[in-house]
Amino acid sequence: MELRHLRYFVGAGEEQHFGRAAARLRLAQPSLSRQIQDLEKEMGFPLFDRLPRGVRLNAAGRLFLSDAQRILQDVDEAKRRAERIALGKAGTIRVGIAQALSWHGMVVDSFREFRRRQPDAELVLHHMLSIHQVEAVVSGRLDAGFAASVIPWNKDLGHWEFAQDRILLAVPKGHHLTKRGKIRLRDLRDLPFIWFQRSANPAFDDQLVRECARGGLSAPRIIQEASDRDTLIGFVQCRIGIAWLTESIRWHCPRGIVLLPVVDMNVRLPFNLIWKKDNSSPLLQKFVAQVQATKVKPAK
């Protein structure tokens, strides 16, 4: 039994007249009669009573008509759902976010625009270190990620840089550095540092260490490492040490912390959207295109 048999039967059953049904289905009446006969033969019993003038559904036909109508409705709905997936109008997209980017205007605006354009799509967010995002995107556990630069990039990844955040010094409120007009790297010698664990972004850690050494801070006094930004902020607020943070943290910086520029700290942390090149999801392709079309608002 094929779907066309059900469509022909429903047309004939609703009209209870082969001539009118054939016209409705744009089919020759003899062809429709043969299709109905083939269906009845396959089922093993008649669905219509043949009358001197026309046809009439019998008891089995009336029951089968109800079921056939429901089946065709389900098929049409399944087709519409699949079409929305194929056109990128529905489905699920899983996106990772590094903590440093959670409040970045570009990320927030991208999500807002995606929700506006794709109201039926499900957006599932995962806070995750950048290096772990790379692994998750490559393995297929994530579709995309907002990550800090991780160099060298995996050859299977597509990436688009949308911002570079400058590095600021986070100190507890009332710290003596807040009273200085200008701060240089050499002024930070012997001060206790809270440092990100190198494993979070080895390439960036190397760049940061080289820049510190170039400015006269060749061996920062690291007294504590932190695996995530919030823990690092907590240590600074508790006056255990000072730390490097990206500028975007000022959007949700605790009142007990002051962010200070260091005049010879020239490192910037690139932020990227990443995705797997061979991921053919239409929804992902729309998401990437929409993020790339989002205008970055200037920092205030």
Side-chain angles (χ1 to χ4, degrees):
M1 186 185 304
E2 300 180 13
L3 284 176
R4 61 185 173 86
H5 289 124
L6 293 181
R7 295 191 190 281
Y8 296 156
F9 167 72
V10 167
E14 290 177 347
E15 297 291 343
Q16 297 211 54
H17 190 283
F18 282 4
R20 291 195 299 269
R24 167 178 157 183
L25 295 167
R26 298 181 180 180
L27 195 68
Q29 182 174 337
S31 178
L32 175 62
S33 297
R34 285 195 301 272
Q35 296 289 341
I36 298 299
Q37 290 171 359
D38 290 344
L39 175 61
E40 290 176 320
K41 183 178 179 181
E42 182 175 349
M43 296 191 70
F45 50 83
L47 299 167
F48 291 93
D49 292 331
R50 271 66 175 179
L51 306 175
R53 299 182 62 180
V55 294
R56 180 177 60 200
L57 284 169
N58 59 27
R62 288 193 295 272
L63 178 63
F64 189 60
L65 176 62
S66 176
D67 288 340
Q69 289 169 328
R70 176 180 50 78
I71 291 170
L72 291 177
Q73 289 172 356
D74 289 344
V75 169
D76 289 342
E77 180 59 29
K79 179 184 176 182
R80 284 192 292 269
R81 289 197 301 267
E83 183 180 46
R84 292 183 67 77
I85 296 291
L87 296 177
K89 294 180 178 179
T92 300
I93 184 168
R94 303 154 301 170
V95 180
I97 316 175
Q99 280 188 326
L101 281 77
S102 297
W103 286 65
H104 195 284
M106 174 69 179
V107 176
V108 175
D109 289 345
S110 295
F111 289 151
R112 182 187 299 112
E113 184 65 11
F114 182 76
R115 296 280 356 122
R116 185 182 72 82
R117 290 174 176 264
Q118 313 295 333
D120 296 330
E122 182 183 15
L123 183 63
V124 180
L125 306 180
H126 299 268
H127 282 282
M128 193 179 295
L129 290 174
S130 297
I131 196 167
H132 295 159
Q133 285 189 52
V134 170
E135 297 169 358
V137 170
V138 170
S139 69
R141 290 183 290 114
L142 287 180
D143 298 300
F146 287 102
S149 179
V150 180
I151 300 174
W153 288 108
N154 186 294
K155 62 181 178 61
D156 295 327
L157 284 182
H159 54 92
W160 179 70
E161 183 179 302
F162 59 85
Q164 290 190 354
D165 234 10
R166 66 172 177 162
I167 303 300
L168 299 178
L169 188 68
V171 303
K173 192 173 183 179
H175 193 279
H176 70 84
L177 288 175
T178 61
K179 299 177 176 62
R180 297 183 67 110
K182 289 185 178 180
I183 303 172
R184 296 186 176 276
L185 285 165
R186 63 172 179 263
D187 299 326
L188 308 179
R189 288 179 293 194
D190 300 325
L191 293 181
F193 267 93
I194 313 299
W195 209 269
F196 267 108
Q197 290 180 350
R198 173 179 164 75
S199 59
N201 195 331
F204 181 72
D205 183 75
D206 289 342
Q207 184 183 5
L208 193 61
V209 169
R210 286 195 301 269
E211 182 69 8
C212 287
R214 186 194 59 78
L217 182 61
S218 57
R221 183 186 161 210
I222 301 173
I223 63 168
Q224 179 67 52
E225 291 187 343
S227 60
D228 61 84
R229 186 204 56 199
D230 288 344
T231 301
L232 186 148
I233 291 173
F235 280 130
V236 174
Q237 191 167 20
C238 292
R239 314 185 74 83
I240 294 175
I242 60 177
W244 298 114
L245 288 171
T246 54
E247 186 175 20
S248 57
I249 195 179
R250 68 169 66 254
W251 292 101
H252 54 125
C253 189
R255 294 182 179 179
I257 291 180
V258 180
L259 299 175
L260 303 172
V262 177
V263 294
D264 52 350
M265 167 53 78
N266 298 317
V267 173
R268 289 180 175 265
L269 180 61
F271 292 151
N272 292 264
L273 174 68
I274 62 173
W275 66 94
K276 195 174 183 183
K277 293 177 181 177
D278 64 358
N279 187 334
S280 60
S281 162
L283 191 59
L284 171 64
Q285 293 170 9
K286 281 195 170 186
F287 181 74
V288 171
Q290 288 172 16
V291 172
Q292 291 176 333
T294 302
K295 294 182 179 180
V296 182
K297 294 181 179 179
K300 295 182 179 180

